[in-house]
Amino acid sequence: MSTATSPETSAAAQRALETRYGTPWSAPLPAWNETLDSLLAHRSVRNYADKPLPAGTLETLIAAAQSASTSSNLQTWSVVAIENPERKARLATLAANQSQIREAPLFLVWLADLNRLEAAAGRTGASAEGLHYLETLLVGVIDAALAAQNAVVALESLGMSAVYIGAIRNQPEQVAAELGLPPRVLPVFGLCVGYADESHPAQIKPRLPQPVVLHREQYDAPSQEDGIAQYDEVIGEFQTAQGQSAAGWTSRSLARWRSRESLHGRDRLRDALNALGFELR
């Protein structure tokens, strides 16, 4: 893979970084390559073309996912691939009626899977007490997230697009029933996969300035205020360009947590986890 930093490459890198943050970029540029181009060009795509995926796509994405890091090689995740239109429609209904689930040719539901290890313990007569603690579920959730992001990087490198669906947790028991999940398997999030509908192009959304999220040596809370104020302006301009109200980041983000109702059913996640067999000691 090329890491050349020709004038053309440097200019492209500068544009990519400035698009990602919505502000001028002044830090030195390291060697640049196609992987960085692809990562910085990521965007959530919610409109998909009526175009099938090439044969072998799913298997290739899962190979990429399984190449991600996993805690102690436990591999405490699984994924259910859904292509059946009727099942996608039912899952869309459970996930806040998001039309992109119906439109995408492939919908993946990523799972924190502790059942596999519990079954192995049962076969061998080993104790599996540690599976019932919050730490182990957290390992499964992290494993699933790492695997899914590897798959996203892979599919974007192949010219495809994706969007994560957190609303799969709105009604986790019903999702589990639809997918036939055994006990101690949690649907963590969904992922739509397909080719973007170029008639509805998605734009790169600016992120928080690095000084807000990057702390050197120790966490520096006071330094964040100016960066967040700047970001409210940047994201407000982006929202206006997208035909949305310029609510900024602070106001729109806080609205997501303003009440129990704004969690859209996820306020009862602890009860759902218990129903799915997680004791969470």
Side-chain angles (χ1 to χ4, degrees):
M1 178 178 295
S2 172
T3 58
T5 52
S6 66
E8 294 79 9
T9 301
S10 295
Q14 188 91 13
R15 287 193 299 273
L17 288 160
E18 292 182 350
T19 300
R20 175 49 69 198
Y21 291 104
T23 55
W25 181 262
S26 58
L29 291 175
W32 202 260
N33 56 39
E34 293 87 350
T35 300
L36 291 168
D37 280 334
S38 181
L39 287 170
L40 268 73
H42 169 75
R43 66 206 74 190
S44 294
V45 171
R46 295 177 174 83
N47 295 283
Y48 293 91
D50 184 14
K51 179 180 177 181
L53 303 179
T57 295
L58 174 60
E59 292 80 3
T60 300
L61 297 184
I62 299 309
Q66 289 190 278
S67 299
S69 297
T70 170
S71 179
S72 300
N73 199 35
L74 294 172
Q75 303 179 70
T76 49
W77 66 273
S78 292
V79 62
V80 179
I82 301 104
E83 298 174 287
N84 179 273
E86 289 77 19
R87 178 161 285 117
K88 284 193 295 179
R90 291 193 294 270
L91 288 169
T93 299
L94 292 172
N97 292 310
Q98 297 191 56
S99 61
Q100 58 264 33
I101 299 175
R102 298 182 178 91
E103 289 180 10
L106 175 62
F107 185 58
L108 302 175
V109 179
W110 298 86
L111 313 168
D113 187 350
L114 304 187
N115 180 272
R116 183 162 51 240
L117 285 173
E118 183 178 56
R123 289 193 300 271
T124 61
S127 172
E129 181 184 359
L131 291 177
H132 302 294
Y133 286 81
L134 176 60
E135 158 65 12
T136 315
L137 175 58
L138 186 59
V139 167
V141 171
I142 294 170
D143 268 10
L146 293 173
Q149 188 59 22
N150 250 34
V152 169
V153 172
L155 69 89
E156 289 181 338
S157 76
L158 295 171
M160 301 169 200
S161 298
V163 63
Y164 285 101
I165 306 294
I168 210 72
R169 297 189 304 279
N170 286 10
Q171 301 182 67
E173 298 107 317
Q174 291 88 334
V175 170
E178 177 65 42
L179 301 181
L181 302 184
R184 285 163 289 288
V185 178
L186 171 68
V188 180
F189 46 76
L191 186 74
C192 297
V193 180
Y195 290 99
D197 180 354
E198 298 301 336
S199 67
H200 296 84
Q203 303 300 317
I204 296 173
K205 184 179 292 185
R207 297 296 199 227
L208 284 162
Q210 285 198 7
V212 175
V213 301
L214 172 60
H215 304 268
R216 299 182 185 274
E217 306 301 338
Q218 289 188 313
Y219 194 94
D220 184 6
S223 69
Q224 297 186 58
E225 187 172 346
D226 289 344
I228 291 173
Q230 177 191 22
Y231 184 62
D232 275 329
E233 295 181 7
V234 169
I235 203 68
E237 293 174 0
F238 177 83
Q239 291 163 341
T240 299
Q242 297 298 301
Q244 305 169 358
S245 61
W249 176 80
T250 300
S251 177
R252 183 158 292 182
S253 297
L254 292 178
R256 290 290 303 271
W257 316 115
R258 69 180 178 273
S259 68
R260 177 177 178 174
E261 289 72 24
S262 66
L263 294 175
H264 303 293
R266 283 174 255 180
D267 55 291
R268 55 174 302 279
L269 184 57
R270 181 186 293 273
D271 293 337
L273 288 169
N274 289 334
L276 294 173
F278 295 95
E279 297 180 28
L280 303 184
R281 299 175 187 170

